[in-house]
């Protein structure tokens, strides 16, 4: 027996404060030495480009982020490490008593979000707001990426089930978060036992080829499995020959299960041409009167292949997805950034030769405009105070503008922390998943399609635009 | 103060036994119920394709894998979870007392390895050898992927320094392993404080744009930083205007540092055309007599961009790499697999329509053949017992063969576990990095190049080929 606490209550990471880039700490010590530790700063988290050439992002990671922030303090062994790195005693003394006093506003986990909109805003002392940067980026970038990928796969699969099989090809321990984010995005279950254990998400799985290989013959392997799992049996039929051996043997076992009052749940195809094999398999099953036996398919699937299989009327009921879900594959990182927008309530920006990379200054909020049909019309980024935001301009082409006063407007950001105190119950992954499905109904289909999705309107208020342009002018 | 143990002694993961796919456990219970728990099995870990269209893979992850295996047991809270999932009491009783008794053979961490060669071999009871599958794949696939990417970047950079800045874009907690694997591959330092703390690898970092923005002007920001870090100062010069403001201000500060007996270490470029800006910056610095001030550059760099910058004679001394290092980017997963090769000493294989996917049966070892110049000539996969392996055949075109008796032959796999007891000191990342650099000298340059690298010879012995072909015939 172990005396270690369960991760069910303790978060995976026991060292969130040093799960950071080194420069966050050198800067923090710099602010401390400059006598600026009580100054205030505001930072925005946002991204600039939808991954997967898609039309939207699903916001994930908030719940895991909160778990880490709740444990955010510097422990003695960490302080000793920092002392060994040459950090000063007076600064380490400061870190020893350091506790977060931040205000954080964020979109809800599972929200559908768009480029340039601040999704999370941190206000606090300049030191605390700065040193949270890496943690926030690491968690939110990755979970949002995978929640988005999962949402695309689920969108392609429609009413069919999508299962996460990705842990073996996940990027190390990132596999834990990938499985959780997949659930947020709409995947129904995971093979990842650890993620199921810690996050209470549904786990599933039956057999690998090695099970079949380890018996003298396939039929014995299937029979044994059905003996032990008569009510939860999915037989993997492609170890030797799918149509000549695997499916006929599965049919025998299905009949034996029927004879003892059970039902075979399904068979799984893991190689070959899934459209062809699923059709042939379905026919064999149906001819045997086994129309209730489901067909699961896996093997390098992604949303485009799922869509293609469905458009070919492949009779697949469950899709198992792995590498291309849990790594994001063609877009393995979301480009989220965390940018300083004010110091002591004075708006700040970073100029770039490329106006799209010039940041938006000041404390801001995001409004979502809803049309008469209850659909999302667009988002407006406006100053948090004293800005009615009635006219929303294209951020880079000011002549393109919309009067939004006729729309219903919802604030996108909600308070998560006040003075370092948590203000919400961090949602379970399944709860965020339900929220996402409700929101997906409000997103017009042209933003969901995979090929050249329609660009969702994100604009900025006149006041914000003027502030940005004045500050830019001043700094030149 | 906390009473939690330091991760310096405890591994990150407190639940390695359930860091697995659900089907490993359903199969394990199946073997248990079938009365097969004392049967023996052998599995091979290998991959089929070099990532990044490259010519080799650097084997990473062994040390982290060992840390997890040393903690491999089922805890009460995990057993309770499994009970809730419907696992049987007698099986859970078996898991409660479960301890690994495996024999494991593996290549050394930092070894250069090639497709189809078993890099790690597990022998043990069928249950233990099976349930380690997901853990082994998750850790080895990812760390080998990133160690390989890092080795490519270091190869491109030559004598110049490469630094890992990737944590913010890493795939969640996978960032910890990415930074460690980057060090194995040859990267000199990481921004990742957590990885430095837990793995004793060098950390580095200075300032972000927010530091510069937070002061009223750039010169003040630079001066303050130099005040606090006079001997470890790299100034980020592109917040406003690199050549007209950033570099001139850095030169002022460098002179002030000189006046107080210190030296500015360097400046960092993080945007714009790095070839052009580095050249202009070098000229300004040299004209100011600051030829010792180094130039660091970052911004979406990978091995091809580093090579291109060097071929343009860009005077860059340090390369900071992020997303494209820690995610693998264009190849975000290594395709490593874990395949059953024998049960109770009886060789097993999995047939595929594609002969390249038919597995190699039996307990096997790998020999590396070294030529007269001390260079790697090729690898041979041969049966572990009773196989002299004097003739090595192409695995799929048997007529292509080589007599290897004239070469020096080194066994690639070394014993890591005997009867569940660890037989090695898990190497530090820096130690594996030094081993890799020695091995890289023995790899011919045509395997290292980025464009169409020469394919390294991997063959199988006559005996192994006959065994494979006989078994395949029998199963058809």
């Amino acid at each position: 027996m172990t005396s270690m606490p369960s991760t069910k209550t303790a978060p995976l990471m026991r060292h969130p404060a040093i799960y950071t880039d080194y420069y966050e700490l050198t800067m923090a010590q710099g602010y401390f030495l400059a006598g600026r530790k009580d100054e205030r700063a505001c930072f925005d988290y946002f991204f600039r480009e939808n991954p997967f050439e898609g039309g939207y992002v699903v916001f994930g990671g908030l719940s895991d982020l909160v778990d880490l922030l709740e444990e955010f303090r510097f422990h003695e062994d960490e302080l000793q490490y920092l002392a060994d790195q040459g950090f000063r005693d007076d600064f380490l003394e400061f870190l020893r008593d350091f506790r977060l006093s931040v205000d954080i506003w964020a979109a809800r986990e599972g929200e559908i979000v768009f480029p340039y909109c601040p999704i999370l805003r941190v206000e606090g002392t300049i030191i605390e707001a700065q040193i949270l940067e890496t943690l926030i980026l690491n968690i939110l970038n990755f979970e949002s990426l995978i929640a988005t990928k999962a949402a695309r796969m689920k969108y392609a699969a429609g009413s069919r089930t999508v299962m996460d099989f990705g842990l073996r090809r996940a990027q190390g321990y990132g596999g834990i978060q990938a499985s959780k984010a997949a659930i947020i995005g709409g995947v129904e279950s995971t093979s990842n036992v650890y993620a199921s254990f810690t996050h209470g998400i549904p786990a599933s799985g039956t057999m690998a080829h090695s099970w079949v290989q380890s018996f003298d013959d396939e039929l014995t392997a299937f029979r044994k499995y059905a003996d032990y799992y008569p009510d939860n049996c999915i037989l993997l039929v492609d170890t030797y020959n799918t149509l000549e051996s695997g499916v006929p043997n599965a049919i025998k076992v299905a009949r034996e299960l029927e004879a003892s009052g059970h039902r075979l749940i399904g068979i799984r195809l893991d190689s070959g041409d899934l459209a062809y094999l699923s059709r042939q398999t379905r026919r064999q099953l149906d001819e045997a009167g086994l129309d209730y036996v489901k067909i699961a398919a896996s093997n390098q699937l992604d949303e485009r292949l799922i869509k293609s299989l469905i458009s070919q009327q492949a009779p697949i009921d469950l899709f198992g997805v792995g590498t291309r879900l849990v790594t994001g594959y063609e877009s393995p990182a979301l480009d989220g950034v965390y940018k300083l927008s004010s110091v002591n309530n004075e708006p700040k920006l970073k100029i770039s030769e490329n106006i799209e990379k010039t940041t938006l200054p000041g404390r801001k909020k995001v409004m979502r405009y809803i049309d008469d049909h209850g659909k999302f019309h667009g988002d407006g980024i406006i100053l948090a105070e004293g800005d009615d935001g009635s006219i929303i301009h294209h951020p880079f082409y000011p002549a393109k503008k919309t009067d939004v006063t006729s729309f219903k407007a919802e604030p996108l950001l909600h308070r998560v922390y006040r003075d370092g105190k948590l203000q919400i119950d961090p949602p379970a992954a399944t709860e965020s998943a339900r929220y996402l499905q409700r929101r997906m109904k409000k997103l017009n289909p042209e933003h969901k399609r995979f090929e050249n999705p329609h660009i969702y309107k994100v604009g900025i208020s006149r006041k914000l635009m003027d502030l940005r342009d004045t500050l830019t002018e001043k700094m030149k």
Side-chain angles (χ1 to χ4, degrees), chain A:
Chain A
M1 270 299 300
T2 173
S3 62
M4 283 191 282
S6 161
T7 44
K8 289 215 181 195
T9 51
L12 175 74
M13 299 275 312
R14 280 170 293 161
H15 298 282
I18 59 162
Y19 189 62
T20 191
D21 286 314
Y22 198 83
Y23 76 6
E24 312 290 4
L25 297 172
T26 54
M27 286 191 283
Q29 179 169 269
Y31 291 128
F32 176 82
L33 294 174
R36 299 182 61 187
K37 73 179 172 57
D38 297 321
E39 291 187 22
R40 308 285 299 171
C42 179
F43 284 81
D44 294 321
Y45 169 72
F46 62 98
F47 62 92
R48 294 196 179 100
E49 201 175 338
N50 290 316
F52 317 117
E53 301 182 346
Y56 62 92
V57 158
V58 174
F59 179 47
L62 183 62
S63 170
D64 281 343
L65 177 64
V66 163
D67 279 352
L68 294 170
L69 294 180
E70 289 297 291
E71 297 295 323
F72 197 96
R73 56 190 60 87
F74 290 88
H75 302 120
E76 285 307 316
D77 50 356
E78 300 164 4
L79 295 169
Q80 183 56 52
Y81 161 87
L82 294 175
D84 295 344
Q85 299 288 313
F87 283 89
R88 294 167 51 117
D89 288 348
D90 50 353
F91 177 61
L92 297 176
E93 208 47 57
F94 166 77
L95 290 186
R96 181 170 282 118
D97 299 325
F98 181 87
R99 294 294 181 275
L100 290 178
S101 67
V102 278
D103 283 10
I104 296 181
W105 295 73
R108 289 180 63 167
E109 190 170 79
E111 185 59 270
I112 300 169
V113 294
F114 301 95
Y116 296 101
C117 288
I119 308 166
L120 178 136
R121 187 178 83 216
V122 177
E123 296 170 76
T125 68
I126 195 165
I127 289 180
E128 64 183 352
Q130 179 70 62
I131 61 178
L132 293 181
E133 176 178 29
T134 312
L135 183 64
I136 287 172
L137 290 172
N138 176 271
I139 304 292
L140 301 187
N141 278 339
F142 181 53
E143 290 199 35
S144 298
L145 179 80
I146 303 306
T148 307
K149 188 68 168 171
R152 292 164 60 83
M153 290 179 166
K154 183 62 194 165
Y155 181 64
S159 60
R160 297 163 192 83
T161 301
V162 183
M163 305 174 290
D164 157 33
F165 290 171
L167 183 58
R168 61 191 51 205
R169 298 279 169 80
Q171 297 211 336
Y173 302 138
I176 301 162
Q177 294 150 299
S179 294
K180 180 178 177 184
I183 296 290
I184 294 173
V187 163
E188 273 90 350
S189 70
T190 181
S191 67
N192 183 338
V193 180
Y194 187 99
S196 171
F197 171 74
T198 52
H199 294 303
I201 57 186
S204 66
T206 54
M207 66 171 66
H209 296 113
S210 54
W211 173 269
V212 180
Q213 283 173 271
S214 83
F215 287 86
D216 286 336
D217 62 274
E218 191 178 50
L219 183 58
T220 307
F222 285 1
R223 276 191 177 132
K224 284 287 179 188
Y225 199 90
D227 275 357
Y228 307 137
Y229 302 99
D231 297 310
N232 185 20
C233 187
I234 296 184
L235 300 168
L236 179 61
V237 294
D238 69 337
T239 304
Y240 303 115
N241 186 313
T242 300
L243 298 176
E244 288 172 33
S245 164
V247 176
N249 282 330
I251 288 171
K252 282 189 196 130
V253 171
R255 291 196 169 127
E256 291 164 10
L257 277 171
E258 278 186 356
S260 63
H262 300 281
R263 281 189 155 198
L264 179 66
I265 290 190
I267 63 90
R268 178 160 71 97
L269 305 167
D270 188 43
S271 59
D273 189 293
L274 297 176
Y276 171 76
L277 291 175
S278 62
R279 230 185 321 271
Q280 298 299 318
T281 298
R282 184 76 270 158
R283 201 169 62 193
Q284 289 192 32
L285 290 171
D286 290 352
E287 283 171 8
L290 298 167
D291 60 336
Y292 61 83
V293 174
K294 289 187 159 55
I295 298 178
S298 48
N299 193 17
Q300 303 296 322
L301 295 179
D302 66 7
E303 65 272 38
R304 292 173 204 275
L305 285 170
I306 291 171
K307 189 181 159 196
S308 162
L309 285 166
I310 290 173
S311 76
Q312 294 170 73
Q313 273 125 37
I316 296 169
D317 306 288
L318 305 99
F319 294 98
V321 292
T323 315
R324 283 151 208 253
L325 168 64
V326 299
T327 66
Y329 211 68
E330 71 272 30
S331 300
L334 181 69
D335 73 352
V337 293
Y338 182 80
K339 293 292 181 188
L340 181 68
S341 64
S342 80
V343 175
N344 297 326
N345 280 319
E346 207 177 298
K348 294 279 181 182
L349 54 63
K350 181 185 174 305
I351 298 181
S352 171
E353 317 253 314
N354 184 341
I355 192 174
E356 297 183 19
K357 285 197 142 190
T358 295
T359 61
L360 294 171
R363 291 180 62 238
K364 298 172 294 294
K365 58 185 178 184
V366 180
M367 301 306 294
R368 173 149 298 170
Y369 306 110
I370 316 279
D371 70 16
D372 291 344
H373 308 286
K375 302 284 189 183
F376 299 159
H377 174 81
D379 289 1
I381 310 169
I382 72 180
L383 291 170
E385 273 108 34
D387 186 352
D388 72 353
S390 56
I391 312 284
I392 295 298
H393 297 257
H394 189 288
F396 317 121
Y397 307 104
K400 290 178 79 169
K401 58 185 174 177
T402 316
D403 184 329
V404 293
T405 45
S406 66
F407 293 107
K408 195 181 144 218
E410 292 177 351
L412 205 74
L413 305 185
H414 302 272
R415 195 184 270 281
V416 179
Y417 276 91
R418 182 197 297 272
D419 295 333
K421 303 279 177 302
L422 186 61
Q423 305 292 308
I424 61 165
D425 264 339
T430 45
E431 190 185 333
S432 299
R434 283 191 298 273
Y435 181 70
L436 171 62
Q437 294 313 318
R438 290 202 300 278
R439 301 298 272 181
M440 281 293 262
K441 294 201 181 88
K442 295 173 184 280
L443 184 66
N444 282 313
E446 56 268 27
H447 303 299
K448 298 179 196 168
R449 70 172 181 241
F450 301 150
E451 288 75 31
N452 294 318
H454 188 51
I455 295 171
Y456 183 87
K457 285 195 189 73
V458 173
I460 61 178
S461 69
R462 181 86 223 180
K463 276 204 168 174
L464 177 55
M465 186 165 56
D466 290 345
L467 178 63
R468 178 191 68 186
D469 296 348
T470 312
L471 278 177
T472 306
E473 205 49 49
K474 211 167 82 183
M475 290 168 73
K476 280 178 175 161

